[in-house]
Amino acid sequence: MSFYVTTPIYYVNAAPHLGHAYTTIAADVMARHHRQRGEEVFFLTGTDEHGEPVADAAHALGIAPQELADRNAERFKALAPQLHASNDFFIRTTDPQHEAVVQEVLSRVRENGYVYEGTYEGWYCPRCADFKAENEIDADRRCPIHHIELTREQEQNYFFRLSAFQDRLEALYREREDFVAPRSRYNEALSFIRSGLRDVPLTRHKLTWGVQVPWDPEHVFYVWFDALLNYYSALSYARESDLTATFWPATYHLIGKDILRFHAVYWPALLMAAELALPEHVFVHGFLLMDGEKMSKSLGNVLDPFAVIERYGPDALRFYLLRDVPFGQDGSVSTAAFELRYESELANELGNLASRTIAMAHRYRDGAPPAVALDPELDRDFAGLAQEVAALIDRAELTGALDAIWQRVRRLNRYVEERAPWQLAKDQARAPELDQVLATLLAGLRVLAVLLHAYIPTSSDRLLTALGARERSLSAARWDATAAPGARIGQLDALFPKSA
Ligand code: MSP
């Protein structure tokens, strides 16, 4: 079994922000979970370095585009480890190996008859590096995303014959209803296709900052085609041996809703034109909003992920973003909401549960987990939990899966209150009952820690170590007293200190 997950590659025209961290965290949760299942995993992220937005930003700073790209690519590269993202490679579209693949694949698209020369005229947003359809433009001719004035552009270009894929794309959406999710995004992409596909420019004439068109060196490829191909090119040079056969096609492309059309329409058409296999799923997440607006570099209302991580650590940020904003929908983020989740859920519900349980195991049983059967009362909540979580993550329902786990965190907290082990400990005759309650709590915590590994890897690891559990694979989330036999309980400092 192999699993290949990607994030969009980020524009290097400015520094990373929370919106970028968001997709990287989500992809990391999927990658880590699939590794726990014993699958062969490849997780790709990187930077999109060509095109007008980057050239314009460099120009404004009075430096060469490559210099700006080098500078900012480093910052994106540094973001991944700070988020504890376990990406297997970091692609830059200025890598010469990537450029060679772009030239090769797009030449094949041309040889296959899907490229022709023509004139393009339309309303263009230089920040999106995209022409806008008439129905996206309002009366004042501004970009709906960046609110800047659109420019009327006319140029001699090579075109990609997108219209040739009308029927095949409709068939794709008919046959594979899970190609794009959530359903609302599937519908949006399909209705765009049904409204009639028009050919799109494949090259730009006036720009020089891009991958050169091999059959006409006065042109560079339109940045989106160059960028999309990163998902494919990376596998050919990320390692010494070519990984394409193992990982292509991608299992999941995670993207934001603003780049749906490129991934759900252009990309499958391009792959068809190049005779390459299509990805299995495109999952579209919403925007993180602050004051009701999308956070973005160009709008300037940016919450700095580096600052959040420095104060609370990456686990807290990872948890908050996937817990508070249903993955797949828009959602507001704020410091107040973050602090509330941190205190009430991470510190109180999980942190206290863990420290109480471990303290009781030491106090009442000297750190040796009682070797007795688990309380059947919790069977219904815990027995099928790992499968339930896996099924949700298979559908990229990351908030749903986290919620399924969290319901059990709460269930265990209720269990402690109901059974009141401190009362049982007062009565020697009730020792077997206390054994069962402690064994059940320890097993429950172990299951939760294993399942939480994908979301909060550092805290999960600390908790598992304290529980004396060595196994991190999903099999250790079995609801079974023998899943971690004979382990001694260790010490645990507060998982989520309140003074953070
Ligand atoms: N370079 C292109 C992607 C090419 S992929 C072949 C691009 N880059 S971007 O840096 O502008 O955006 C990258 C991703 O970040 C997009 O999926 C976008 O939706 C996401 N986000 C940017 N701001 C965001 C929020 N405020 N909230 C959530 N995600 C948002 O587009």
Side-chain angles (χ1 to χ4, degrees), residues 8-11 17 19-20 22-23 48 224 227-228 230-231 255-259 263 285-288 294-295 297:
I9 47 173
Y10 306 116
Y11 283 133
H17 63 68
H20 305 123
Y22 185 46
T23 326
D48 187 354
W224 268 100
L228 285 164
N230 89 87
Y231 303 132
I255 61 163
K257 64 179 185 178
D258 53 335
I259 54 179
H263 286 82
H285 65 69
F287 284 154
L288 301 179
K294 176 193 173 205
M295 278 187 314
K297 302 170 271 227

Side-chain angles (χ1 to χ4, degrees), residues 14-86:
H17 63 68
L18 201 64
H20 305 123
Y22 185 46
T23 326
T24 301
I25 288 170
D28 189 56
V29 169
M30 296 178 83
R32 285 179 183 272
H33 169 82
H34 281 272
R35 289 195 200 101
Q36 282 187 293
R37 280 154 78 163
E39 293 169 18
E40 226 180 322
V41 170
F42 199 79
F43 164 19
L44 180 71
T45 186
T47 42
D48 187 354
E49 306 191 2
H50 292 128
E52 213 159 355
V54 178
D56 287 352
H59 183 76
L61 292 169
I63 58 175
Q66 185 70 59
E67 197 181 333
L68 180 67
D70 288 345
R71 198 187 285 172
N72 280 334
E74 279 314 308
R75 303 172 72 179
F76 279 97
K77 215 170 175 172
L79 179 67
Q82 283 184 274
L83 299 168
H84 288 176
S86 59

Side-chain angles (χ1 to χ4, degrees), residues 52 56 120-134 137 140-144 147-155 204 206:
E52 213 159 355
D56 287 352
Y120 193 89
E121 194 177 335
W123 294 103
Y124 183 82
C125 169
R127 294 264 178 79
C128 294
D130 190 18
F131 285 94
K132 301 283 154 187
E134 289 297 335
I137 304 170
D140 63 355
R141 297 250 155 72
R142 284 178 180 275
C143 169
H147 312 311
I148 57 168
E149 239 175 84
L150 299 171
T151 54
R152 191 75 185 166
E153 299 270 340
Q154 193 199 48
E155 57 181 47
R204 301 293 313 272
K206 291 181 203 145

Side-chain angles (χ1 to χ4, degrees), residues 373-384 407-408 410-420 424 430 433 436-437 439-441 444 479:
L374 305 181
D375 192 336
E377 199 186 306
L378 291 189
D379 282 358
R380 206 161 49 101
D381 289 299
F382 278 83
Q407 283 171 27
R408 276 60 171 208
R410 292 183 173 160
R411 180 70 190 89
L412 275 193
N413 274 308
R414 284 201 308 277
Y415 183 73
V416 181
E417 294 306 321
E418 286 160 13
R419 295 305 162 101
L424 299 176
R430 301 183 79 181
E433 241 181 285
Q436 188 184 52
V437 170
T440 301
L441 284 172
W479 181 239

Side-chain angles (χ1 to χ4, degrees), residues 22-245:
Y22 185 46
T23 326
T24 301
I25 288 170
D28 189 56
V29 169
M30 296 178 83
R32 285 179 183 272
H33 169 82
H34 281 272
R35 289 195 200 101
Q36 282 187 293
R37 280 154 78 163
E39 293 169 18
E40 226 180 322
V41 170
F42 199 79
F43 164 19
L44 180 71
T45 186
T47 42
D48 187 354
E49 306 191 2
H50 292 128
E52 213 159 355
V54 178
D56 287 352
H59 183 76
L61 292 169
I63 58 175
Q66 185 70 59
E67 197 181 333
L68 180 67
D70 288 345
R71 198 187 285 172
N72 280 334
E74 279 314 308
R75 303 172 72 179
F76 279 97
K77 215 170 175 172
L79 179 67
Q82 283 184 274
L83 299 168
H84 288 176
S86 59
N87 54 302
D88 294 287
F89 189 58
F90 187 94
I91 189 170
R92 299 183 52 184
T93 54
T94 50
D95 292 342
Q97 300 96 320
H98 165 78
E99 297 190 354
V101 172
V102 170
Q103 291 180 325
E104 180 224 305
V105 173
L106 295 177
S107 296
R108 187 157 77 235
V109 169
R110 177 167 174 256
E111 282 149 27
N112 288 347
Y114 297 111
V115 177
Y116 65 92
E117 224 177 333
T119 310
Y120 193 89
E121 194 177 335
W123 294 103
Y124 183 82
C125 169
R127 294 264 178 79
C128 294
D130 190 18
F131 285 94
K132 301 283 154 187
E134 289 297 335
N135 62 5
E136 292 177 285
I137 304 170
D138 44 20
D140 63 355
R141 297 250 155 72
R142 284 178 180 275
C143 169
I145 297 168
H146 296 100
H147 312 311
I148 57 168
E149 239 175 84
L150 299 171
T151 54
R152 191 75 185 166
E153 299 270 340
Q154 193 199 48
E155 57 181 47
Q156 193 67 18
N157 279 326
Y158 291 93
F159 278 74
F160 173 53
R161 215 180 279 284
L162 182 63
S163 59
F165 296 91
Q166 181 76 40
D167 292 345
R168 286 178 68 186
L169 286 175
E170 286 188 29
L172 166 70
Y173 276 72
R174 231 182 358 259
E175 285 154 21
R176 287 173 48 187
E177 297 209 339
D178 59 356
F179 179 61
V180 175
R183 192 68 187 177
S184 57
R185 301 297 169 200
Y186 168 96
N187 290 335
E188 185 182 332
L190 181 56
S191 78
F192 177 81
I193 295 167
R194 284 194 179 139
S195 73
L197 295 175
R198 292 187 311 149
D199 297 341
V200 290
L202 177 72
T203 67
R204 301 293 313 272
H205 196 175
K206 291 181 203 145
L207 299 184
T208 52
W209 181 237
V211 178
Q212 206 174 53
V213 173
W215 64 85
D216 188 342
E218 289 203 355
H219 290 247
V220 295
F221 286 111
Y222 178 42
V223 65
W224 268 100
F225 289 97
D226 161 6
L228 285 164
L229 280 165
N230 89 87
Y231 303 132
Y232 177 70
S233 71
L235 296 176
S236 67
Y237 70 95
R239 297 285 181 276
E240 246 165 57
S241 66
D242 191 321
L243 299 176
T244 313

